């Protein structure tokens, strides 16, 4: 029998075994699906957060709010400092009217309020675009505090702090998700292992017969490995389908969050989707391997096979 | 050809299954293996197809020293040895055809080839017309004939039977013995364990007699013989 024939034989046997024991098999498939759905959900969320962070990072800003009575000389001194800093790429001045217009633009509901309050102008500011790669560490912090101490400067607002907070949060969420997914995956692997072990138990006489007539380990084990693999692949597919359905549902009900432009708007990348299914298959295979240790197939450590299984 | 040199089998729990057994069975011989229950018949047969390893001694089967066969090569040894048991060991949810053609199937035979070799084997046990039945629809004697057909399908050099008539009445037993004779006449070495002395005497031929794990008689054809044991 060549390899293709052998694999076809394994799959046929495995499908038959799954159909016969579909009730327990379903439990295993669902447990794999739940663990992958959880893990996949976290990957989806952390992937979106990472994407948002990237976008924000690209537009890392440094806003220098100016005092009301800032003098032209003080402005020049500030700009000279900005020009001398290698991390600062560009900057522009935003006068108080432009700041108000922009705020009204971003938050239309605030527009009437801003018009009313025309008498209380927003502070004028200088907005700088910063290359984040060279704007980290103590030196940068020092530079910022010097900037804040300049005459005419009211306050300095740096995105860095909260980008870092978000990164920390994304890291923790990702780790927690992976840990939770890992625990669920371990449980799912053990479930598959017991399902396969049950199949082996139900087939112990056939296994003994196969041994007697001279079947190799490869042929004896193949169908059981295939069974674990199929359960895992089914579970992975189910998880992917479930995740798609959940995301579609979230899109419909919470378009602001999961809509195409929302913070959770992006589904798993195609490679990630495939990886989810493949991971399911791998988990199933590992479960089968765990359940097919020698003893469970009626062979003792010395290689004796009393065939009394 | 089967050869035992001072073979002892001690089970892990300390039980002696076989003790210092030496004999030689030439090719194409028909040999009965007799002895009371617990005398070591099943132990001896399992040692031949490497279902067990001897604690002491050497075993040669078809010129190969079983101790030197690596575990992964054992299946190839088994393909040269057909085995039949008292309890038939047929798989209930498989048809006669499927039961008989396990080996052809894993060797990659097509469904048509499988049916053909199964038919040939079933023909030798005069059961060709039941090929598509399930075992449960067969009588005990017919089921044992299916088991024999399964053992014959690989055209083994040796056929081993462990009390194959233990579940059958005397008439059926004679019929099954007759089948083994036919198989032997076609050139296969046959080693048949039974505690039914009456049938053995009726059939005649070489008899290896075990008692308490020792060879009590029949081993002398190789010169060594077994120490006389106490027949219980
Ligand atoms: N798996 C085993 N573990 C321990 N002792 C065993 C085992 N199999 C057989 N024996 C012992 O070995 C002896 C021979 O048994 P066996 O070969 O089955 O005899 P027979 O087939 O002639 O009835 C008996 O004393 C039996 O109790
Ligand atoms: Mg016995």
């Amino acid at each position: 029998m060549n390899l293709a024939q052998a694999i076809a034989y394994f799959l046929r046997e495995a499908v038959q075994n799954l159909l016969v024991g579909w009730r327990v098999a379903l439990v295993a498939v669902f447990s794999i699906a739940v663990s992958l759905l959880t893990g996949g959900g976290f990957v989806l969320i952390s992937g979106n957060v990472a994407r948002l962070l990237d976008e924000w990072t690209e537009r890392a800003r440094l806003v220098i709010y100016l005092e009301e009575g800032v003098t032209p000389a003080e402005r020049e001194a500030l700009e000279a400092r900005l020009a001398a800093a290698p991390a600062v790429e560009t900057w522009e001045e935003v006068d108080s009217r432009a700041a108000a217009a922009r705020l009204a633009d971003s938050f239309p509901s605030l527009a009437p309020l801003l018009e009313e309050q025309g008498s209380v102008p927003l502070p004028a500011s200088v907005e700088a675009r910063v290359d984040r790669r060279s704007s980290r560490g103590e030196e940068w912090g020092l530079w910022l505090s010097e900037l804040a101490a300049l005459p005419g400067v009211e306050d300095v607002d740096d995105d860095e702090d909260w980008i870092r907070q978000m990164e920390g949060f994304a890291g923790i969420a990702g780790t927690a998700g992976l840990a939770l997914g890992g625990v669920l995956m371990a449980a799912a692997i053990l479930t598959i292992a017991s399902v396969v072990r049950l199949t082996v138990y139900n087939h112990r006489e056939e296994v003994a017969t196969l041994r007697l007539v001279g079947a190799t380990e490869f042929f004896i084990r193949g169908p059981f490995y295939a069974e674990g693999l199929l359960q895992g692949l089914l579970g992975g597919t189910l998880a992917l389908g479930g995740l798609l359905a959940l995301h579609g549902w979230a899109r419909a009900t919470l378009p602001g969050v999961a809509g195409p432009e929302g913070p959770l708007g992006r589904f798993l990348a195609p490679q990630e989707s495939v990886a989810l299914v493949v991971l399911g298959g791998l988990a199933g295979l590992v479960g089968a391997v765990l359940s097919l240790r020698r003893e469970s197939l009626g062979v003792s450590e010395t290689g004796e096979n009393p065939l009394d299984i | 050809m089967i050869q035992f040199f001072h073979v002892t089998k001690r089970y892990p729990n300390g039980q002696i299954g076989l003790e210092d057994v030496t004999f030689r069975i030439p090719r194409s011989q028909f040999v009965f293996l007799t002895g009371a229950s617990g005398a070591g018949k099943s132990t001896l047969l399992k040692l031949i197809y490497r279902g067990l390893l001897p604690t002491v001694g050497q075993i040669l089967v078809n010129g190969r020293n079983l101790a030197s066969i690596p575990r992964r090569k054992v299946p190839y040894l088994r393909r040269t040895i057909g085995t039949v048991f008292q309890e038939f060991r047929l798989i209930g949810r498989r048809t006669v055809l499927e039961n008989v053609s396990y080996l052809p199937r894993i060797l990659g035979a097509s469904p048509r080839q499988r049916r053909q070799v199964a038919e040939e084997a079933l023909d030798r046990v005069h059961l060709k017309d039941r090929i598509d039945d399930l075992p449960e629809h067969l009588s005990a004697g017919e089921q044992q004939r299916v088991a024999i057909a399964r053992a014959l399908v690989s055209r083994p050099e040796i056929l081993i039977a462990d009390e194959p008539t233990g579940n059958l009445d005397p008439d059926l037993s004679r019929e099954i013995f007759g089948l083994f004779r036919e198989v032997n006449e076609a050139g296969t070495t046959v080693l048949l364990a039974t505690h039914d002395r009456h049938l053995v005497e009726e059939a005649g031929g070489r008899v290896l007699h075990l008692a308490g794990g020792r060879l009590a008689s029949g081993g002398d054809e190789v010169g060594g013989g077994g120490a006389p044991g106490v027949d219980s």
Side-chain angles (χ1 to χ4, degrees):
Chain A
M1 193 184 277
N2 62 36
L3 193 62
Q5 280 176 315
I7 288 169
Y9 159 77
F10 294 160
L11 289 177
R12 219 167 22 237
E13 293 284 301
V15 167
Q16 251 175 35
N17 293 343
L18 286 177
L19 289 179
V20 169
W22 64 271
R23 257 172 275 246
V24 269
L26 217 54
V27 174
V29 168
F30 272 124
S31 74
I32 277 278
V34 166
S35 72
L36 286 172
L37 188 66
T38 308
F42 273 97
V43 168
L44 190 153
I45 291 170
S46 68
N48 273 296
V49 170
R51 172 180 59 95
L52 289 178
L53 278 175
D54 267 0
E55 283 171 14
W56 283 327
T57 303
E58 251 174 54
R59 317 184 225 137
R61 282 181 324 162
L62 176 65
V63 185
I64 303 137
Y65 296 100
L66 303 175
E67 282 171 1
E68 229 171 287
V70 64
T71 66
E74 284 165 350
R75 277 178 194 255
E76 268 173 42
L78 173 65
E79 291 190 15
R81 271 203 168 249
L82 291 178
V88 177
E89 289 167 340
T90 59
W91 68 88
E92 60 172 333
E93 288 193 34
V94 181
D95 67 20
S96 48
R97 208 169 314 139
R102 197 199 287 174
L103 196 61
D105 223 29
S106 317
F107 300 95
S109 53
L110 288 179
L113 202 71
L114 288 164
E115 272 161 33
E116 255 170 53
Q117 288 190 331
S119 52
V120 186
L122 288 161
S125 61
V126 175
E127 282 189 15
R129 211 173 267 283
V130 171
D131 176 7
R132 284 188 72 243
R133 276 161 303 185
S134 42
S135 65
R136 292 173 183 225
E138 274 181 38
E139 233 175 286
W140 175 254
L142 207 64
W143 186 82
L144 279 182
S145 51
E146 280 171 19
L147 204 66
L150 284 179
V153 172
E154 166 104 41
D155 196 9
V156 174
D157 191 2
D158 182 7
D159 278 348
E160 195 65 19
D161 271 357
W162 87 274
I163 285 182
R164 223 166 268 168
Q165 270 175 14
M166 282 299 286
E167 277 174 348
F169 166 76
I172 290 171
T175 311
L178 285 183
L180 184 59
V183 169
L184 291 174
M185 180 67 95
I189 287 175
L190 292 182
T191 311
I192 288 202
S194 13
V195 172
V196 173
R197 202 169 301 138
L198 189 66
T199 311
V200 172
Y201 180 79
N202 288 336
H203 286 75
R204 62 197 183 284
E205 286 172 353
E206 195 160 35
V207 167
T209 298
L210 282 168
R211 281 195 192 296
L212 266 181
V213 301
T216 54
E217 286 299 302
F218 180 67
F219 276 97
I220 291 171
R221 287 161 184 264
F224 301 121
Y225 289 141
E227 183 180 339
L229 181 71
L230 281 184
Q231 287 178 34
L233 288 177
L234 276 177
T237 310
L238 204 61
L240 185 61
L243 205 56
L244 260 171
L246 270 178
H247 195 245
W249 173 80
R251 247 181 201 195
T253 52
L254 302 165
V257 177
E261 302 299 323
L264 293 182
R266 194 174 293 176
F267 192 67
L268 298 183
Q271 315 91 278
E272 289 172 328
S273 305
V274 172
L276 202 66
V277 177
V278 169
L279 203 62
L282 274 179
L285 210 52
V286 169
V289 169
L290 282 182
S291 69
L292 287 186
R293 282 166 312 201
R294 244 187 255 301
E295 311 84 72
S296 60
L297 285 174
V299 184
S300 73
E301 271 313 302
T302 56
E304 293 188 347
N305 171 22
L307 294 164
D308 291 326
I309 55 175
Chain B
M1 191 270 299
I2 305 167
Q3 214 163 346
F4 275 48
F5 286 110
H6 302 291
V7 171
T8 293
K9 174 64 192 180
R10 190 175 296 116
Y11 284 101
N13 66 357
Q15 274 278 352
I16 297 285
L18 215 58
E19 196 163 14
D20 195 23
V21 167
T22 298
F23 65 87
R24 179 174 176 276
I25 297 174
R27 202 185 169 81
S28 301
Q29 200 168 49
F30 189 109
V31 179
F32 283 112
L33 182 62
T34 61
S37 180
K41 302 183 295 296
S42 297
T43 302
L44 190 152
L45 296 184
K46 285 175 187 171
L47 285 164
I48 293 172
Y49 59 77
R50 211 172 177 284
L52 291 173
L53 286 168
T55 315
V56 180
Q58 300 290 325
I59 301 171
L60 267 76
V61 174
N62 297 333
R64 275 175 293 192
N65 188 336
L66 294 197
S68 64
I69 297 181
R71 190 157 60 202
R72 71 198 155 74
K73 295 280 190 206
V74 169
Y76 303 95
L77 168 80
R78 300 239 171 104
R79 291 175 195 174
T80 68
I81 304 171
T83 42
V84 177
F85 300 91
Q86 175 170 358
E87 67 276 24
F88 316 149
R89 299 197 185 179
L90 299 178
I91 307 304
R93 54 197 169 75
R94 307 275 194 189
T95 63
V96 166
L97 168 66
E98 289 167 328
N99 267 286
V100 170
S101 56
Y102 272 107
L103 187 63
R105 183 168 186 199
I106 60 169
L107 292 181
S110 70
R112 239 184 65 207
Q113 290 167 321
R114 269 183 250 156
R115 179 169 279 271
Q116 194 185 331
V117 289
E119 272 177 359
E120 278 168 26
L122 286 165
D123 201 22
R124 294 179 72 182
V125 298
H126 318 300
L127 210 61
K128 210 165 106 179
D129 52 333
R130 309 303 297 271
I131 190 164
D132 292 313
D133 278 319
L134 284 174
E136 63 190 72
H137 297 140
L138 303 181
S139 70
E142 287 168 334
Q143 289 187 35
Q144 190 59 301
R145 273 147 67 188
V146 173
I148 296 170
R150 179 179 64 196
L152 293 177
V153 86
S154 62
R155 304 182 173 283
E157 293 168 53
I158 298 170
L159 183 60
I160 279 172
D162 195 354
E163 315 232 17
T165 60
N167 286 345
L168 305 178
D169 63 46
D171 280 345
L172 277 177
S173 297
R174 270 188 212 96
E175 196 184 310
I176 295 291
F177 274 29
L179 277 178
F180 283 111
R181 280 278 181 223
E182 288 174 25
V183 170
N184 173 248
E185 276 154 20
T188 303
T189 311
V190 174
L191 182 55
L192 196 162
T194 177
H195 62 259
D196 193 337
R197 279 193 156 252
H198 185 69
L199 273 174
V200 173
E201 277 158 20
E202 192 180 290
R206 183 176 176 197
V207 179
L208 288 175
H209 184 63
L210 284 171
R214 288 180 170 271
L215 202 53
S217 65
D220 31 2
E221 279 180 38
V222 78
V230 185
D231 205 343
S232 49

